[in-house]
């Protein structure tokens, strides 16, 4: 058996493998607590922003579907705030309860689902959103065969608010004159 040239160092190596001291453990826990205190609020904000983005992307996909179907079919296609799964809202601007419906609108009763009109897609309540509202009078967006909104220039857009206590996460989907939706902070 070889003897170490430095017997004192061999003894130090043995004592270092015994584990952590209480002070080292307390420092590690303190560092972990500080990092958690910094990271958790940011993670919460990240999750909220992801939820808003997902909800808005779903709405934008429905608007794009209405526009594309209007061009493909050569008829009016409407997206409206839903009162039930088969009818559009006739008053108010709150899109939160009920969700939306995309349907082929033959024009007999514009903005309302009549017998025989095809429902292309629908979404129920906006889960995870505190409010989804539109400006006064915007309960529907109808696209005509050239892909433009029937109502011309849109005044405002649909505003998505996930948390009533944090309006900094609020976003808006605006529709331009050509009919394309875009995401904006709060101005259209």
């Amino acid at each position: 058996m070889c003897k170490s040239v430095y017997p004192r160092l061999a003894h130090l190596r043995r004592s270092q493998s015994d584990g952590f001291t209480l002070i080292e453990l307390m420092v590690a826990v303190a560092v972990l607590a500080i990092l958690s205190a910094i990271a958790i609020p940011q993670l919460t904000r990240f999750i909220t922003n992801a939820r808003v983005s997902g909800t808005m992307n779903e709405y934008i996909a429905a608007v794009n579907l209405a526009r594309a179907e209007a061009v493909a079919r050569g008829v009016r296609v409407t997206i409206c705030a839903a009162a039930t799964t088969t009818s559009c809202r006739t008053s108010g601007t709150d899109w939160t309860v009920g969700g939306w419906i995309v349907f082929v609108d033959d024009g007999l009763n514009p903005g309302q689902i009549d017998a025989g009109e095809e429902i292309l897609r629908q979404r129920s309540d906006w889960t995870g959103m505190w409010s989804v509202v539109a400006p006064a009078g915007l309960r529907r967006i109808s696209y005509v065969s050239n892909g433009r909104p029937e109502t011309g220039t849109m005044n405002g857009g649909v505003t998505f608010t996930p948390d009533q206590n944090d309006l900094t996460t609020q976003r808006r989907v605006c529709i331009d004159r050509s009919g394309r939706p875009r995401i904006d902070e709060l101005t259209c």
Side-chain angles (χ1 to χ4, degrees), residues 15-16 18-32:
S15 68
Q16 286 178 351
D18 291 343
F20 294 109
T21 66
L22 183 60
I23 301 234
E24 290 170 334
L25 186 60
M26 287 173 52
V27 167
V29 169
V31 168
L32 182 64

Side-chain angles (χ1 to χ4, degrees), residues 150-173:
E150 184 178 53
T151 55
T153 305
M154 304 299 294
N155 291 329
V158 178
T159 304
F160 295 79
T161 309
D163 184 358
Q164 70 181 6
N165 298 319
D166 185 10
L167 298 181
T168 62
T169 56
Q170 199 173 49
R171 299 289 181 272
R172 183 173 286 169
V173 175

